[in-house]
Amino acid sequence: MIWVKLTFGGMGRRFVEAIAAIMILAATSATVAASLMVVEGARNALNRAIRQDRPDIIHVKSRFNRALFETPRSGNLPPLTIPVYEPLIDPADLEHAAGNNRVIRRQSLFRNVVSGDSFLNIYVFGIDPDLEREVSSFVLARGRFLRKDDRAVAVLDQASARALGVDIGGAFPIRKADGGDLELTVIGILDKLELRGAPPRSAEAPSLNPEATDVSSGAFVDIQTSEDIFGRPTLTDALVVARSMSAVPSLVAKLQEAFRLEPGVFVTERYSQYERKVRDFVLTLAVFTALSVATVLLAGTFAANLLHDIYVDRRRQYATLMALGCSPAMSIAPAVVFGLVLGAAGSAIGAFVAVLFVPRSFAIPSLMADLGTTQPALDLMVAGSIVAIGIVAVIVGLAPTGLRLLRQALATSLSEGRS
Amino acid sequence: MTQDPFVSVRGVSKTYRGERSTVGALRGVSFDIRKGEFVRISGPSGSGKTTLLNLIAGLDGPDQGDIVVAGTNIGRLSMTQASKYRAREVGVIFQSYNLIPQLTALENVLLPMIALGRANSDRARELLDVVGLADRSDHNPSQLSGGEQQRVAVARALANDPALVLADEPTGNLDDQSAESVMVMLTDAVRERGKTLLLVTHERDRVKAIDRSLELRSGVLSSYQIELPQEGVS
Ligand SMILES: Nc1ncnc2c1ncn2[C@@H]1O[C@H](COP(=O)(O)OP(=O)(O)OP(=O)(O)O)[C@@H](O)[C@H]1O
Ligand SMILES: [Mg+2]
């Protein structure tokens, strides 16, 4: 009880100033928290862009040729070979242009599969199993995924498997370019599938995600197997993963140069968009950091000043405690605790207000056009910053009193401020 | 007498350096006090009386010389050691009471005990009883008269049973009547407990049973004499 009174009691008119200090600290914390939350939201948006858009990946793809697209009108027609993309990319040219950056080859085909007297369309993807798994996501429901040396086996998504009426161990025929059939044995069923840079959906086919505009289902085979089906090694598309983000622009230039004479091959990148997002983020960071710093300097100083006044008033009390034999630490403790409680109250109120009033999604079109709408986030960094502001304000407020108390003779402190 | 002095002040000087002027508050002061003695310190205003008490209490450090109390050189103590020394050995009574306003009389008396980590409310109550304020223990200083406040300060000074009591014009702010009662209580309580008392006061006749008088003039010890027993003292 004595320590509670020593810490908080006997404030007199300084009580109002203590409340004012809390409110100012709260307003400061709220402003800073809100600003930093916006910055954190922008940072998250940027990180999400890096994770999801993968600006380090360059997509090289052939022309998407709708002209060749045709569906058999009745079940007994021979199946047609319908490429999704035209197979125009020479893998050797691509490897050469990509240099020491990783190339993930692909062949995507579209096939009619006749089962009994009905038929269905199915996408077939020839992939590098190990490399492809690093950029696309395959979630297996049953069985296993493709391996490098697998031949004439396929991994299907659930929708395609159901449509084909096959399960693990079962087989289905795919018409090869030379007219013969290749039996593909099913070794795995996919639950979920996200193919990076999937081709646009252009025909009725089984689909895991009926809303998607991109292909969301298919049969995956090793690229060797797809070459057997296709009858050629040229690729429909490929992903080139840059060794570093900064290598992307020159790599794009090299790839464009390599396929300059092939008008059916396009090089697309998401790096420029990412760069614009980075620019947005830097701008957001600068604006809101400046706002925070200005607030802290102005309001924080004000709060520290109020605290200083309160402490000056109580200097004699601390000196008296020391004169009565309390150790310096013991005598200063009420001051420190008082400051910490004040700081904590201010920070907590500020954080609460910020969390309550900062919008869930935030956008400034003129500042963050490319970053788009962000979600302001209260994370450890934000919380730590406002706690730090509270502590610094208290330290700045307490320092002159504390230092004088510890440095000048106690006799002097005791005789100061005598009414 | 061959007894070791309890308080030994040797060649102590203290100078306050202001922005313009420097004041020699004490200049080469030396004297000894034996255990249990009552010493009155007098002298004109500004002669260094408060400075001397502050130095003995370890509230300030001497520029030169040594102050040894019960074998401890006060000037050499660190802040923490000085606090401990005050808590154990010294009871200080200030002219301006220096009670903590938001604490009750009882809590104020408890403070020195808390400093030593052994708060004892019963003992604090007893001490308040000694100074005649047993029924005012729950009152805050603002609810007490000046004389009563100073009596609380007397009780507080005795809280840890210190061997040395320092009182700087304890009645300087009081009217005659309160001054009388405070002085009586102070001297009686200190005498009863066999403590050594250093008392700064201008009032010659009010203080009974003084063993020695010490007079300062401009920071110099001008006389240090054994007080003759006054008439009317039993
Ligand atoms: N902190 C200080 N800074 C500067 N000068 C000081 C300080 N404390 C005391 N002095 C000076 O030192 C001298 C002695 O002061 P001190 O307080 O010891 O006198 P005193 O004998 O107690 O006087 P009084 O009877 O008025 O209380 C005075 O001239 C005073 O102005
Ligand atoms: Mg004085």
Side-chain angles (χ1 to χ4, degrees):
Chain A
M1 191 58 198
I2 289 187
W3 286 104
V4 174
K5 282 194 195 173
L6 282 175
T7 306
F8 299 106
M11 300 277 300
R13 69 201 164 87
R14 294 293 185 198
F15 183 74
V16 180
E17 273 162 53
I19 297 296
I22 291 180
M23 297 328 279
I24 292 167
L25 274 179
T28 311
S29 305
T31 311
V32 171
S35 304
L36 294 184
M37 280 167 76
V38 168
V39 170
E40 284 306 279
R43 193 194 304 280
N44 290 343
L46 189 66
N47 285 335
R48 207 174 322 116
I50 295 177
R51 255 196 334 274
Q52 288 178 359
D53 297 353
R54 290 291 300 267
D56 57 329
I57 294 180
I58 300 153
H59 200 182
V60 181
K61 56 189 173 190
S62 302
R63 173 168 55 212
F64 187 78
N65 203 334
R66 288 167 194 278
L68 290 176
F69 179 69
E70 216 177 299
T71 331
R73 274 155 207 80
S74 94
N76 278 332
L77 283 176
L80 288 170
T81 303
I82 308 166
V84 181
Y85 290 122
E86 285 184 59
L88 298 175
I89 304 166
D90 184 332
D93 288 353
L94 182 62
E95 291 282 356
H96 181 75
N100 61 355
N101 299 283
R102 187 163 342 115
V103 174
I104 303 174
R105 296 174 297 162
R106 282 172 173 179
Q107 285 188 324
S108 51
L109 331 154
F110 198 48
R111 281 286 190 273
N112 303 125
V113 178
V114 178
S115 48
D117 53 356
S118 71
F119 71 93
L120 72 134
N121 301 321
I122 189 149
Y123 288 96
V124 180
F125 294 95
I127 57 171
D128 274 325
D130 297 336
L131 297 181
E132 187 66 45
R133 279 192 110 166
E134 285 170 26
V135 293
S136 301
S137 108
F138 301 92
V139 180
L140 272 174
R142 277 168 290 138
R144 66 170 179 85
F145 197 67
L146 295 169
R147 287 183 198 134
K148 220 173 150 61
D149 44 5
D150 276 339
R151 294 289 176 274
V153 295
V155 170
L156 297 183
D157 72 285
Q158 274 176 337
S160 303
R162 211 175 306 118
L164 285 168
V166 290
D167 203 346
I168 290 177
F172 61 97
I174 289 279
R175 181 59 51 90
K176 296 198 289 181
D178 62 11
D181 270 352
L182 179 67
E183 285 282 319
L184 292 177
T185 308
V186 179
I187 56 164
I189 305 286
L190 294 170
D191 210 3
K192 271 190 216 139
L193 157 67
E194 256 170 72
L195 195 62
R196 186 169 295 280
R201 207 166 129 184
S202 53
E204 260 322 303
S207 174
L208 273 180
N209 179 4
E211 258 100 80
T213 52
D214 288 340
V215 175
S216 65
S217 71
F220 292 85
V221 300
D222 181 84
I223 196 148
Q224 229 78 54
T225 306
S226 78
E227 279 177 20
D228 289 349
I229 300 170
F230 228 169
R232 56 172 96 192
T234 46
L235 308 173
T236 54
D237 66 325
L239 301 173
V240 182
V241 185
R243 293 211 160 260
S244 70
M245 211 72 105
S246 54
V248 175
S250 67
L251 182 56
V252 169
K254 256 190 220 142
L255 291 168
Q256 276 167 343
E257 175 63 24
F259 295 101
R260 193 168 44 89
L261 297 176
E262 179 50 86
V265 174
F266 305 95
V267 177
T268 61
E269 43 86 20
R270 312 186 83 157
Y271 180 77
S272 328
Q273 192 198 9
Y274 163 74
E275 252 193 335
R276 286 196 300 275
K277 286 185 180 183
V278 171
R279 216 162 32 232
D280 274 5
F281 171 71
V282 170
L283 217 61
T284 309
L285 182 72
V287 168
F288 284 94
T289 306
L291 181 67
S292 299
V293 170
T295 310
V296 168
L297 286 183
L298 290 173
T301 322
F302 191 23
N305 235 319
L306 287 176
L307 278 168
H308 172 70
D309 289 351
I310 297 171
Y311 283 131
V312 166
D313 254 21
R314 293 165 89 79
R315 184 149 68 213
R316 189 135 162 247
Q317 173 187 316
Y318 308 136
T320 303
L321 288 178
M322 264 197 258
L324 292 177
C326 292
S327 68
M330 213 176 181
S331 309
I332 295 276
V336 173
V337 171
F338 174 78
L340 288 183
V341 168
L342 229 72
S347 298
I349 295 173
F352 182 71
V353 168
V355 169
L356 211 64
F357 290 104
V358 169
R360 291 199 167 278
S361 53
F362 180 84
I364 304 181
S366 54
L367 186 68
M368 317 188 328
D370 287 289
L371 220 44
T373 305
T374 63
Q375 282 78 46
L378 182 77
D379 57 12
L380 268 181
M381 201 282 283
V382 178
S385 302
I386 57 176
V387 167
I389 290 170
I391 290 177
V392 168
V394 169
I395 290 176
V396 172
L398 179 57
T401 302
L403 286 182
R404 268 182 91 155
L405 212 50
L406 296 179
R407 278 176 135 167
Q408 78 180 6
L410 258 185
T412 314
S413 300
L414 277 170
S415 57
E416 270 170 349
R418 200 170 281 179
S419 47
Chain B
M1 288 221 189
T2 52
Q3 195 189 344
D4 269 353
F6 180 58
V7 176
S8 167
V9 175
R10 286 274 160 273
V12 165
S13 295
K14 177 75 186 174
T15 308
Y16 290 109
R17 282 177 185 81
E19 274 163 24
R20 294 268 164 75
S21 59
T22 55
V23 183
L26 287 178
R27 291 184 259 184
V29 173
S30 299
F31 60 89
D32 288 336
I33 299 169
R34 277 172 299 174
K35 196 152 194 164
E37 273 187 326
F38 272 32
V39 178
R40 182 166 65 109
I41 303 170
S42 58
S45 180
S47 57
K49 306 182 293 293
T50 300
T51 305
L52 180 59
L53 281 201
N54 285 339
L55 294 183
I56 295 175
L59 295 171
D60 207 341
D63 295 334
Q64 269 167 34
D66 293 306
I67 299 164
V68 180
V69 177
T72 309
N73 193 327
I74 307 311
R76 303 242 176 91
L77 297 179
S78 70
M79 269 193 109
T80 313
Q81 289 169 327
S83 288
K84 204 165 264 177
Y85 154 74
R86 276 192 297 276
R88 292 218 176 102
E89 309 278 356
V90 193
V92 197
I93 300 163
F94 304 92
Q95 179 175 355
S96 51
Y97 327 134
N98 276 346
L99 298 179
I100 306 277
Q102 68 264 37
L103 300 185
T104 63
L106 185 75
E107 288 165 336
N108 267 291
V109 177
L110 276 169
L111 271 182
M113 304 188 201
I114 289 172
L116 275 189
R118 45 174 190 230
N120 181 342
S121 308
D122 291 339
R123 179 172 162 73
R125 248 179 261 280
E126 269 169 44
L127 286 167
L128 280 176
D129 194 28
V130 168
V131 296
L133 290 173
D135 51 339
R136 312 296 295 275
S137 62
D138 288 336
H139 289 210
N140 280 4
S142 59
Q143 296 165 296
L144 300 173
S145 73
E148 287 164 340
Q149 289 188 46
Q150 194 59 301
R151 274 144 65 188
V152 173
V154 170
R156 182 178 67 179
L158 297 172
N160 286 335
D161 207 23
L164 178 63
V165 175
L166 306 173
D168 187 1
E169 298 190 54
T171 58
N173 285 357
L174 302 176
D175 60 75
D176 282 359
Q177 218 168 344
S178 325
E180 181 75 38
S181 82
V182 166
M183 201 56 96
V184 167
M185 270 175 196
L186 170 63
T187 47
D188 284 358
V190 173
R191 176 66 82 191
E192 248 169 49
R193 288 165 174 72
K195 303 191 179 315
T196 310
L197 174 70
L198 262 81
L199 175 66
V200 174
T201 181
H202 297 292
E203 292 149 292
R204 235 186 145 67
D205 15 311
R206 189 166 282 151
V207 196
K208 292 156 189 137
I210 288 291
D211 299 314
R212 286 171 189 254
S213 265
L214 187 157
E215 196 173 344
L216 287 172
R217 278 188 193 277
S218 312
V220 180
L221 188 64
S222 70
S223 80
Y224 187 35
Q225 61 195 42
I226 297 179
E227 199 80 358
L228 296 173
Q230 288 173 356
E231 48 198 274
V233 177
S234 53

